[in-house]
Amino acid sequence: EFRETLRELPPSAKLIAKVLEDAQPLSQGQLAEESLLPDRTVRYALNRLDDVELIESRYSFDDARKRVYALAQ
């Protein structure tokens, strides 16, 4: 089901999901760095992944001003 849902998403969302498979949780900035995508594209991809409930977000323990993202369990 995860792969089927992911198949319908844009390439940027697929790339962000792949990065999160390898290392999670990551902040938006870390995802941009790892994926080599612009911040705006990462934000778009995260929104798309969140719309279909493939990711979860929470506040970072290291910096409460930042959110970190992980694949949904």
Side-chain angles (χ1 to χ4, degrees):
E1 184 181 311
F2 175 82
R3 293 182 75 78
E4 274 303 311
T5 305
L6 197 57
R7 186 166 295 163
E8 305 299 319
L9 296 176
S12 59
K14 292 174 185 165
L15 178 57
I16 294 300
K18 184 65 179 164
V19 171
L20 286 173
E21 266 184 359
D22 295 338
Q24 57 182 349
L26 295 172
S27 69
Q28 182 178 325
Q30 291 169 315
L31 284 166
E33 196 174 298
E34 290 291 319
S35 66
L36 304 177
L37 293 172
D39 286 339
R40 185 175 178 184
T41 305
V42 171
R43 192 166 42 253
Y44 171 76
L46 288 170
N47 285 336
R48 295 299 308 269
L49 289 165
D50 190 43
D51 288 346
V52 293
E53 299 175 356
L54 289 182
I55 59 168
E56 300 170 339
S57 68
R58 62 170 170 77
Y59 287 103
S60 170
F61 295 128
D62 299 329
D63 184 348
R65 297 170 297 174
K66 293 184 181 179
R67 296 190 75 74
V68 292
Y69 301 88
L71 293 177
Q73 300 299 335

